Amino acid sequence: MNLWTARRSEHASHTLGAFNTRHDDEAQYQRDRARIIHSAAFRALQSKTQVLGLGESDYYRTRLTHSLEVAQIGSGLTQQLLTQHPSADWQKHLPCSGLIEAICLAHDLGHPPFGHGGEVALHYLMHAQGGFEGNGQTLRIATRLGEFSEHCGLDLSRRTLLGTIKYPVLYSQVRTPPPSHDTAPLNLSAWHPPKCLYDSESDILAWILAPFEPHDVQRFTRIEQGRSCCKSFDASIMEIADDIAYAVHDLEDAVAMGLLDRSAWQQWRHRHREGPNGRLSDEALESALFDPAPHRRKYAI
């Protein structure tokens, strides 16, 4: 069996037998994608907002629609790499569409309501009991709390789990001392959680990294200046897709709802005219972005 399509449950992939070809691997990653889409944690994303408040407007994006957009962008980035570099020797390491979509769809499963503010509030309450961190909670849902197996959560394949981990270090390795007692209770900026996995998932992290040589595990999980500094290739694609999705689509929502007008945009552009913003100075693109016709705005986005 391919080590990367293995699952933690004892009945791993018994219905499809042994897997040796890319086609069979892709079938396993499509199974992962299906389990994520049909999970309660994924449905719960529909009531969690991105940056702008939840309302009845068609323009509002939620964590659910954001995750769908990240999956499309991640798949598009992978396809672009395949198209632009057809003979590169790293082609064999690119994730198939089912794999990168599964990773992107799962990336926000553990994030709470109210965005990072909710994450900080939960960490404030939980810091002495192992903390709370959205990425750590994603792995916990995928491997313990999900409803597709009794003891293994969503029971996703090893490579899918590896791709969802943005910070392969444990809470106890990167936690900082809590603020002093005289810190104002409502000063939540002092309670931002470290980017990490929970200590309770140390055995799962060890299982995910088991195919690597010990010295590679050490390099992959190293910490510099109190932070994790490595992630997998698949996770890097997911993170870029996430950055593109939330930055560009939050801009679209702000323009569509009238929270950002053309004059404010021009002032921002003027302040950053020396920066690496490329086409942001394109007058035609700007006109399309602030055109009242939705199809013109969508073209600019």
Side-chain angles (χ1 to χ4, degrees):
M1 176 181 290
N2 185 330
L3 285 172
W4 295 108
T5 56
R7 302 175 191 274
R8 289 177 58 243
S9 64
E10 293 180 354
H11 61 279
S13 309
H14 70 280
T15 56
L16 293 180
F19 309 103
N20 297 307
T21 68
R22 183 177 177 87
H23 172 75
D24 289 330
D25 288 353
E26 184 158 1
Q28 292 306 301
Y29 299 133
Q30 288 173 352
R31 174 179 289 187
D32 288 346
R33 180 179 59 189
R35 290 184 176 189
I36 293 162
I37 290 173
H38 291 280
S39 69
F42 187 71
R43 291 193 301 275
L45 296 176
Q46 66 187 311
S47 60
K48 299 173 184 176
T49 59
Q50 279 294 94
V51 171
L52 304 175
L54 188 64
E56 297 300 321
S57 171
D58 290 342
Y59 295 127
Y60 285 106
R61 281 182 165 88
T62 67
R63 290 276 182 179
L64 180 63
T65 58
H66 166 73
S67 296
L68 295 171
E69 290 165 343
V70 173
Q72 185 279 316
I73 294 170
S75 180
L77 290 173
T78 304
Q79 186 59 46
Q80 192 78 350
L81 289 171
L82 284 168
T83 302
Q84 291 189 349
H85 308 278
S87 59
D89 58 2
W90 43 261
Q91 284 280 345
K92 61 181 178 292
H93 300 300
L94 281 173
C96 62
S97 60
L99 172 59
I100 194 61
E101 288 175 10
I103 292 168
C104 291
L105 289 170
H107 85 282
D108 264 355
L109 289 182
H111 283 266
F114 308 110
H116 291 293
E119 184 181 48
V120 171
L122 285 170
H123 180 60
Y124 170 77
L125 296 172
M126 294 292 296
H127 76 278
Q129 289 77 37
F132 182 91
E133 203 278 330
N135 297 281
Q137 187 69 9
T138 292
L139 184 65
R140 187 164 181 80
I141 289 171
T143 59
R144 296 202 193 278
L145 304 180
E147 65 270 43
F148 280 87
S149 67
E150 184 176 1
H151 302 294
C152 299
L154 301 182
D155 197 24
L156 305 178
S157 64
R158 178 182 267 121
R159 183 166 173 179
T160 298
L161 290 174
L162 179 64
T164 65
I165 297 174
K166 295 170 66 173
Y167 312 103
V169 296
L170 300 177
Y171 178 67
S172 59
Q173 296 175 305
V174 292
R175 71 172 296 188
T176 56
S180 62
H181 292 294
D182 59 357
T183 300
L186 296 182
N187 179 21
L188 291 182
S189 63
W191 293 96
H192 282 281
K195 300 298 185 182
C196 62
L197 305 176
Y198 301 145
D199 288 359
S200 57
E201 270 65 74
S202 60
D203 60 323
I204 294 172
L205 178 61
W207 179 83
I208 293 171
L209 301 182
F212 294 116
E213 295 293 335
H215 68 277
D216 287 327
V217 173
Q218 186 175 12
R219 291 174 60 195
F220 186 64
T221 58
R222 76 181 187 272
I223 297 168
E224 294 181 359
Q225 298 182 341
R227 294 176 60 91
S228 167
C229 56
C230 292
K231 57 177 64 69
S232 70
F233 182 38
D234 299 345
S236 296
I237 296 175
M238 173 268 285
E239 188 169 44
I240 292 170
D242 185 26
D243 288 349
I244 293 171
Y246 80 70
V248 177
H249 293 144
D250 287 344
L251 170 63
E252 181 181 14
D253 287 353
V255 172
M257 289 185 286
L259 301 178
L260 176 67
D261 60 22
R262 190 166 184 173
S263 62
W265 167 265
Q266 290 172 338
Q267 291 174 21
W268 180 89
R269 194 189 71 189
H270 178 74
R271 291 197 303 270
H272 295 81
R273 64 185 182 276
E274 301 301 328
N277 293 307
R279 294 188 65 201
L280 294 183
S281 60
D282 188 319
E283 292 290 340
L285 187 63
E286 179 185 298
S287 296
L289 179 63
F290 290 96
D291 196 299
H295 71 279
R296 292 274 295 152
R297 182 172 60 243
K298 181 60 72 174
Y299 167 79
I301 291 297

